[in-house]
Amino acid sequence: MNDRYSRQILFPEIGQAGQEKIRQKHVLMIGAGALGSGNAEILVRSGIGKLTIIDRDYVEPSNLQRQQLYTEEDVAEKLPKAAAAEKRLKMINSDVKINAVIGEATAEWLEEEAREADLIIDATDNFEIRMIINDVSQKYKVPWIYGACVGSFGMSFSILPGKTPCLNCLLRTIPLQGMTCDTGGIISPAVQMVIAHQTAEALKILVGDWEAVRASFVSFDLWRNQYTSMKMSKAKFAGCLSCGDHPTYPYLDQENTTKTTVLCGRDTVQIRPAGNGELSLENLSGQLRASGYEVKGNPYLLSVELGEERMVLFKDGRALIHGTKDLTHAKSVYQKILG
C-alpha cells in the first residue's frame, strides 16, 4: 500500500516510519458535521488505523453547503450523520477501521473511549461537550485539538496534557466564540481553514513530532483578512480544576451537566443548564431576532420560535422545549438556539 501513501511518505517529516505510526493510531472524532466530516476524510485518506466518530444528528439539506461527506441521497434517506460518514469513509479507504456511533458524546462514553484513543478531535458546536472533552483529555492524558468556526471566523488550539494550558485555562484569557452556524451563518472556506489547522496538528501528534506542534492559539477572519496567532504558555493556571496542581475534573461531575426532563402529560422537555447565573434576556432577544428568530417576551422570559421549533427561556437559563418528548432532540434545539 506504499503507493497509496507515497506522496505523504516522501514528505520528510512523516516518511516511512511516520506512516507506520499513523497506521497504528486511533483517533476519536467528536461530531460528524462540517469540521468532523472534513477532518475524518483527511485522516482516513492519510491512512489512520482506526477512527471512532460520534454524532447524534441526521443529514439535512442545509448541511450540504459545507459538510463534505454527504449527498442529496443522504438527505432524502434522513441518514444519521455517523452512518452516512461511515458509508462514505469506507468507500474512500477500506483499510481503515471505522467505528461509527449514533448518539451523544456523554461524559461516561468519552471516559470509556478515551482510554484507548491516541488523539481526540473537537468537531462539535456544543460548548458543554467541549468542556467534558477537556476534562477527559486531562484525566487520561490524551491530547486533543480544539476547533470552532462561525461566519467567516475560525479558531484552533492544540491541547497537550501536562504541557499546554487546557481549555478551562483559556477561558480565563480568551472570550471564545459562543455563536453557532445556526445563529451566525457560515461560509465553507472558514470551515476548510479550521480543518487544515486541525488535521496538520493531528498529523504532527500522530507521528510524534511534538516540537512541531503549534504552541499558539490561532484565530482568523477570512472575510476581513485578519489572522492572529497568540502564544498561550502564560495562560496555564496552577489553580485550574481541570489541569492544575490539584485537578478535580469538574465537568465530569454529573452535577455540572445539563439536566433534561419530560414534563408530565405534555409534549414538552424542560432543560436546566449546568451551573448558576442569569441571562440578559434583553441582549439575547436582540441577538436572536437578528438571526431570524421570532421573539416575544417580558421581564421574566422569552418565547423563541423558528419554523416548528418553539422554546420558552427563563432568566436562570432554564428552558421549555415544546412539541417534543425526545430528550436528545430537545437538547439539540436548546444548544442550536443558544449556541
Side-chain angles (χ1 to χ4, degrees):
M1 292 294 290
N2 275 357
D3 285 348
R4 179 172 196 141
Y5 306 113
S6 60
R7 301 307 186 269
Q8 190 163 279
I9 291 171
L10 283 172
F11 181 64
E13 283 76 5
I14 293 180
Q16 185 68 54
Q19 188 62 47
E20 288 300 319
K21 289 179 181 178
I22 292 171
R23 190 175 182 182
Q24 300 300 317
K25 297 300 172 63
H26 176 199
V27 174
L28 196 53
M29 188 75 62
I30 313 302
L35 293 179
S37 59
N39 272 283
E41 179 170 341
I42 289 176
L43 290 176
V44 165
R45 290 186 184 278
S46 297
I48 189 72
K50 180 180 178 181
L51 176 72
T52 294
I53 185 166
I54 183 169
D55 195 282
R56 65 188 179 189
D57 207 353
Y58 61 89
V59 184
E60 298 180 278
S62 63
N63 301 150
L64 300 182
Q65 169 247 356
R66 66 199 179 282
Q67 299 184 17
Q68 64 191 59
L69 287 179
Y70 309 127
T71 67
E72 292 178 351
E73 182 180 348
D74 298 326
V75 173
E77 295 179 7
K78 291 191 181 300
L79 279 182
K81 289 182 181 179
E86 179 183 29
K87 179 182 70 171
R88 176 65 173 163
L89 292 169
K90 285 183 174 179
M91 293 171 64
I92 291 172
N93 192 341
S94 59
D95 280 344
V96 177
K97 183 177 180 181
I98 308 292
N99 176 30
V101 180
I102 302 167
E104 187 167 7
T106 63
E108 293 83 0
W109 185 87
L110 278 164
E111 284 204 69
E112 186 65 30
E113 292 294 322
R115 300 170 197 267
E116 298 181 358
D118 298 291
L119 173 66
I120 303 171
I121 295 183
D122 164 32
T124 179
D125 60 3
N126 181 324
F127 211 79
E128 181 177 319
I129 292 179
R130 285 189 176 116
M131 299 309 293
I132 294 172
I133 292 171
N134 187 67
D135 273 8
V136 166
S137 161
Q138 298 300 321
K139 184 175 181 179
Y140 296 101
K141 309 304 179 190
V142 181
W144 75 286
I145 304 172
Y146 167 78
C149 50
V150 65
S152 57
F153 180 79
M155 57 181 82
S156 180
F157 184 63
S158 298
I159 297 172
L160 309 180
K163 296 182 180 180
T164 69
C166 75
L167 187 63
N168 211 2
C169 294
L170 295 188
L171 291 177
R172 296 166 52 87
T173 307
I174 302 173
L176 298 180
Q177 182 60 259
M179 294 178 68
T180 73
C181 55
D182 290 296
T183 56
I186 194 163
I187 59 172
S188 186
V191 175
Q192 296 300 321
M193 179 70 86
V194 175
I195 290 169
H197 279 293
Q198 287 185 296
T199 50
E201 294 300 292
L203 290 173
K204 296 173 191 177
I205 291 169
L206 294 174
V207 301
D209 191 354
W210 302 104
E211 293 299 318
V213 175
R214 188 184 63 248
S216 59
F217 183 98
V218 167
S219 65
F220 60 84
D221 190 323
L222 292 178
W223 204 263
R224 294 167 182 80
N225 305 308
Q226 297 169 349
Y227 189 95
T228 303
S229 179
M230 296 180 288
K231 292 289 186 181
M232 300 307 305
S233 57
K234 293 183 179 179
K236 192 164 177 59
F237 174 50
C240 176
L241 296 179
S242 296
C243 75
D245 296 337
H246 304 287
T248 60
Y249 313 115
Y251 295 94
L252 302 184
D253 186 338
Q254 287 295 320
E255 292 301 314
N256 292 327
T257 59
T258 299
K259 309 297 189 302
T260 55
T261 308
V262 178
L263 298 189
C264 183
R266 299 169 61 186
D267 285 340
T268 300
V269 174
Q270 176 179 272
I271 295 183
R272 186 179 296 277
N276 299 309
E278 287 197 351
L279 298 174
S280 171
L281 296 183
E282 183 178 355
N283 291 342
L284 186 58
S285 174
Q287 293 170 13
L288 291 172
R289 284 195 178 99
S291 298
Y293 290 94
E294 181 181 341
V295 183
K296 300 176 183 178
N298 56 42
Y300 309 102
L301 58 84
L302 294 179
S303 175
V304 184
E305 294 187 41
L306 182 63
E308 297 180 356
E309 295 173 354
R310 178 169 173 258
M311 179 175 79
V312 174
L313 181 67
F314 299 86
K315 290 183 71 172
D316 62 358
R318 183 173 56 86
L320 300 178
I321 312 298
H322 294 285
T324 185
K325 292 182 180 179
D326 186 324
L327 300 183
T328 299
H329 174 70
K331 199 171 181 180
S332 177
V333 170
Y334 180 84
Q335 289 161 345
K336 180 171 71 173
I337 292 175
L338 290 184

